Amino acid sequence: MKAFFLGVDIFLCLMVFLCLYRVVFGPTLGDRIVATGAIGTKTLTILVIIGFLYGRVEMFLDISLAYALLNFIGTLAAAKYFEAKGEF
Amino acid sequence: MVIRDIIAMILILIGCFFFLTSAIGLLRFPDMFTRMHATGKCDTLAVLLVMTGLIVHHGINLDSFKLLLIVVFIYIANPTATHVLSRAAYRLGMQPWTKDKK
Amino acid sequence: MLRSRYQDIIAQTIVRIMVPFVQIYALYVLAHGHYSPGGGFQGGVILAASLVLIFLVYGYENALERLKLATAGRLCSLGVLIYAGIGFLCLLLGGNFLDYSRLAPIFQVSLPRARSLGILGIETGVALAVMAAMYSIIMDIVNSDTGNGESHAAGHEIENGETSSDGK
């Protein structure tokens, strides 16, 4: 089961790099924000699975929940800021 | 290997498939709204599937309750973030992609 | 403008439901800091994050109604006072600075329990100070921006058919 979790983690890291393409080369600002949010969701899953790998689930779950919260606030703030600024 | 682990592995693998789908959609779709369509839905579903698999693997205790909490939070927060972003883009005059425009 | 209320009923409803749970989670992180990651600083940051969430969606004036900047400054000082007060109380009772075991006769508990309670008190002070400092930093940053998209946002509010409460 540990080998399986490790494989899933490596696969998700690959997905993060795929999304990173959109963050770096995204034509508009909105593309970058969307891709950042997607990377945040994947990172949260990676964190939970790392907790299962290390055998310290409760610790990494707390980190992961806080990460989800900050990811949401970041997206909301970016959307409001760029809407108020008038460029996207 | 217990039957529980096999169920968990199947669920997690389906979740990984949806993560792959969202990444491909983010890369291949033509404009921001369609990309948001790919990530907003696929990521939410994939988190549900992976966390359900982990709950099946781990059994019922406080940790699986926290996993459920993460799923509920993502289910509330991810669609809201997508809605807020798409609303901002639409009100700033970004035109949705259509087939005959390009 | 960034200061105005975000005219979106979905975001407003979600934030209104979410904020109390976020605050309870912050208290959990604060109180559970001995056994898991977290503690004073992290709990304070999550508390400040819930206040920032209110500000983002309900607007600058509405957030100030819940926690005024002057009150935030007093809370910041109160947090430092709690920290230093517990430290100097230990000093007065004959130990080192922050030597919690000296608090055992006051609380009428055993030595390990007194250490645990002392650390919890310290963490509470840190959380209060961090929350107030983060909140006032963000509010000051927002208040100081002069923004070039002002006319744009104002046009949206007229188009929405609602009058904004803060006169922007």
Side-chain angles (χ1 to χ4, degrees), chain B residues 66 73 76-77 80 83-84 87-88 91-92, chain C residues 6-8 10-11 14 18 28 152 156 159:
Chain B
K66 278 191 211 160
F73 186 84
I76 294 174
T80 312
H83 161 77
V84 163
R87 176 182 176 274
R91 293 182 79 173
L92 291 182
Chain C
Y6 198 65
Q7 305 284 359
D8 182 17
I10 294 180
I14 292 295
M18 195 182 274
Y28 163 78
H152 209 96
H156 277 164
E159 167 193 312

Side-chain angles (χ1 to χ4, degrees), chain B residues 3 12 21 24-25 32 42-43 47-48 51 53-54 69 82 92:
Chain B
I3 187 96
I12 293 174
T21 317
I24 290 176
M32 182 188 153
C42 289
D43 272 356
V47 167
L48 170 72
M51 298 299 169
L54 291 175
L69 205 63
T82 310
L92 291 182

Side-chain angles (χ1 to χ4, degrees), chain C residues 49-73:
Chain C
S50 74
L51 289 171
V52 169
L53 208 52
I54 291 176
F55 144 67
L56 275 177
V57 172
Y58 284 98
Y60 184 80
E61 311 289 334
N62 215 320
L64 278 193
E65 251 175 46
R66 290 173 197 248
L67 183 57
K68 289 188 181 56
L69 282 182
T71 320

Side-chain angles (χ1 to χ4, degrees), chain C residues 92-155:
Chain C
L92 284 181
L93 290 171
N96 292 321
F97 189 68
L98 293 181
D99 184 4
Y100 310 113
S101 56
R102 300 285 168 172
L103 296 175
I106 294 184
F107 288 146
Q108 303 285 336
V109 285
S110 60
L111 278 186
R113 190 92 189 117
R115 287 205 178 92
S116 174
L117 283 176
I119 290 177
L120 189 60
I122 293 287
E123 299 283 4
T124 311
V126 172
L128 272 181
V130 168
M131 177 199 76
M134 293 268 171
Y135 177 76
S136 31
I137 286 172
I138 287 176
M139 290 316 238
D140 281 346
I141 288 175
V142 168
N143 200 17
S144 71
D145 90 311
T146 51
N148 47 9
E150 189 161 356
S151 58
H152 209 96

Side-chain angles (χ1 to χ4, degrees), chain A residues 8 11-12 15, chain B residues 11-21 46 50:
Chain A
V8 170
F11 174 79
L12 286 178
M15 293 302 108
Chain B
L11 281 171
I12 293 174
L13 281 179
I14 300 174
C16 284
F17 168 73
F18 278 106
F19 272 131
L20 179 67
T21 317
V50 172

